[in-house]
Amino acid sequence: MARGERRRRGTLADGARTAEGASRSGTARRDSRVGMTRGTVAGAVLAIVVLPLALNGEEVLVPEVGAKGQLKFISGHTNELGDFRFTLLAPTSPGDTGPKYGSYNVFWSSNPGLPLLTEVVKSRLNSWFQHRPPGASSERYLGLPGSLKWEDRGPSGQGQGQGQFLIQQVTLKVPFSMELVFESGSARAENQALGQLAGSLLTQALESHTEAFRERFEKTFRLQEKGLSTEEQALGQAALSGLLGGIGYFYGQGLVLPDTSVEGSEQKVAPALFPPVPLFTAVPSRSFFPRGFLWDEGFHQLVVQRWDPYLTREALGHWLGLLNADGWIGREQVLGDEARARVPPEFLVQRTVHANPPTLLLPVAHMLKGGDPADLAFLRRAFPRLHAWFSWLHQSQAGPVPLSYRWRGRDPVLPTLLNPKTLPSGLDDYPRASHPSATERHLDLRCWVALGARVMVRLAEQLGETEAAAELGPLAASLETEEILDELHWAPELGVFADFGNHTKAVHLKPQSPQGLVRVVGRPHPRLQYVDALGYVSLFPLLLRLLDPHSSRLGPLLDVLADSRHLWSPFGLRSLAASSSFYGQRNSEHDPPYWRGAVWLNINYLALGALHHYGHLEGPHQARAAKLHKKLRANVVGNVWRQYQATGFLWEHYSDWDGKGMGCRPFHGWTSLVLLAMAEDY
């Protein structure tokens, strides 16, 4: 697919530039061969390239004229860009460095305003211009009559305050290549000794950066050494480049609803704007989700820190800078008016009683394992905030019995919802107890807290924070005691770990006029019991490596993981068992299934890491875990690669039926974990 191929070349260059610090100048190339279907008639086609520039108000746009009256370049200044220069280089024939003949027109006037620009241009077009290449017959073309003289410019000029509008038009025969160079004032100053970064100089620079990127990529991830094909290596390079290209700096205020102390209270409290904050973060998708997501970011940084630990320290520092006085961080960072305009109203307000999986501790754990002095120095500074954040999570999400935990913020029971969502868990519509209540015990949350306690104890001990280590040590030990985990979450009747709550399976959506699909509850009536929803949540003690390699519970979890009737698919582990009554079910008339069967890369990455872990530890399941790791890795990597080859995109999630990409795309967030899966870096 031409679009996908061009995109892959671009992301590779982006990655090289991001990594190696390419010059802050840009060159756009337009090659007329792209999209040509009949090369035999190329010489008979006359093409017109129009390059419009428009500035508002007092911003400056100044054409610079050459000796023959032609436009050399356009200088300008805006408050946002500072000084800049646009240069349209002479067009060339493909494969030739010599200039190609072109006819030039320019139109320069005051800016009539964006709604009128098209009409102004159309009203000025004239067909009496002629294109006369040497030795060829002339052809008429539509052109813009104009001049590079502006008698009224200056302090008393007629156009003062209106802004300016300039169009450069080039008419020439195809095929051709053309470069438009944008240079900031600072880039021009830096490049004076080297010359303009364009033409062959740009090509050489890009080739040099690309080669440096490839060498560094192989040194970091060793995909070639592991025997992966050139095409698979290209997938890994695109995954990394897209993730790095999505890192951005955001600043603004978010809407926050403070704690009203009583969950489910009818008391109405208006959300307030949080004080302005900066955030340096990666994003799941630049086009669809261009903002920070707390639990996504931990997965993002697992990839980023392998490439550039400094970027990860900066990102984690910014996220920890969002803590409020209680230790809470909002799960979605919708900062500023522009960001809020792009987000549905139901996701705008962040509630200070709602948590999110503490995945930022995943890169923290990797830092502890690596022992980089710069990482340890960062962690020493960050420890008070990490401690406050974990303490808030442990205390605010406490469950109904000791050492149990419950996600605050489940949706209320509504007549249109099959199963009230649990957005704070990150697993959105994954089935929970059919009737939300304060009696619920959520398995995944307990496992996240257990992992957090383990990481925080190790961190406190390594940093010499003896008081914190003494405080957290007993909690971590209790949370890792398998007997307590069994007592709270092992469901003998299901043969797996499970949530607990007020639940019945006798819930379905039924068409009713005029409401549409309506939730109907039959018999048996809801009662306190383990929730029969085999899927990702059931695997969390395995996924987060909380079980001893000799645990009697490890075998049953491997059984359901490897069973195609349940979680195994040729494309990765499905999020909900095919045997579940909720599998593939809509949550409402307008809400298709999300975490109800699709294959998600972040959880499959955790599963690969766990299987690799248990496959290297002596125990009764060592050989089986190693074998499952090999098969699952082949399924996951192979499917992502095939879909990338077919579409040119990484996707939000993948179908467990045919492996096709689903959800939004491009999705260079946690789907970029495919790179670490290829590298077997867990």
Side-chain angles (χ1 to χ4, degrees), residues 82 100 123 159 167 194 202 266 297 356 388 469 514 544 611 628:
K100 185 183 181 83
S123 68
I167 287 183
L194 298 174
L202 174 64
E266 296 300 320
E297 188 63 7
N356 219 203
L544 299 187
L611 293 170
L628 285 172

Side-chain angles (χ1 to χ4, degrees), residues 164-306:
Q164 300 173 54
F165 177 44
L166 188 147
I167 287 183
Q168 168 84 70
Q169 176 185 335
V170 185
T171 305
L172 70 172
K173 292 287 185 71
V174 296
F176 65 88
S177 293
M178 185 179 294
E179 290 188 55
L180 174 66
V181 183
F182 170 85
E183 298 170 289
S184 65
S186 57
R188 287 186 58 238
E190 291 175 5
N191 292 337
Q192 278 183 345
L194 298 174
Q196 191 178 61
L197 191 60
S200 60
L201 185 62
L202 174 64
T203 299
Q204 293 168 11
L206 286 175
E207 289 173 350
S208 173
H209 282 290
T210 298
E211 184 57 32
F213 171 76
R214 286 175 175 156
E215 290 178 2
R216 180 178 169 186
F217 182 87
E218 175 59 22
K219 183 179 179 180
T220 303
F221 300 106
R222 303 186 182 279
L223 300 191
Q224 183 177 350
E225 181 182 307
K226 287 183 174 292
L228 277 82
S229 68
T230 302
E231 292 81 7
E232 289 170 320
Q233 294 173 50
L235 165 62
Q237 292 165 353
L240 174 64
S241 299
L243 180 63
L244 294 176
I247 295 175
Y249 178 85
F250 304 87
Y251 184 85
Q253 295 177 278
L255 284 169
V256 175
L257 187 66
D259 184 7
T260 58
S261 298
V262 182
E263 188 177 15
S265 169
E266 296 300 320
Q267 179 183 359
K268 299 297 182 182
V269 178
L273 284 171
F274 205 69
V277 290
L279 180 60
F280 179 77
T281 184
V283 301
S285 171
R286 279 180 280 181
S287 55
F288 202 81
F289 296 116
R291 57 189 184 276
F293 287 78
L294 179 55
W295 96 294
D296 295 59
E297 188 63 7
F299 291 110
H300 298 162
Q301 293 307 321
L302 286 174
V303 180
V304 173
Q305 72 181 158
R306 267 70 167 184

Side-chain angles (χ1 to χ4, degrees), residues 36-44:
M36 289 297 296
T37 56
R38 292 183 294 175
T40 55
V41 299

Side-chain angles (χ1 to χ4, degrees), residues 337-361:
D337 293 337
E338 182 179 348
R340 284 194 291 275
R342 299 189 59 177
V343 177
E346 62 266 30
F347 301 116
L348 282 176
V349 179
Q350 305 302 302
R351 291 162 172 80
T352 59
V353 294
H354 295 181
N356 219 203
T359 58
L360 297 185
L361 294 174

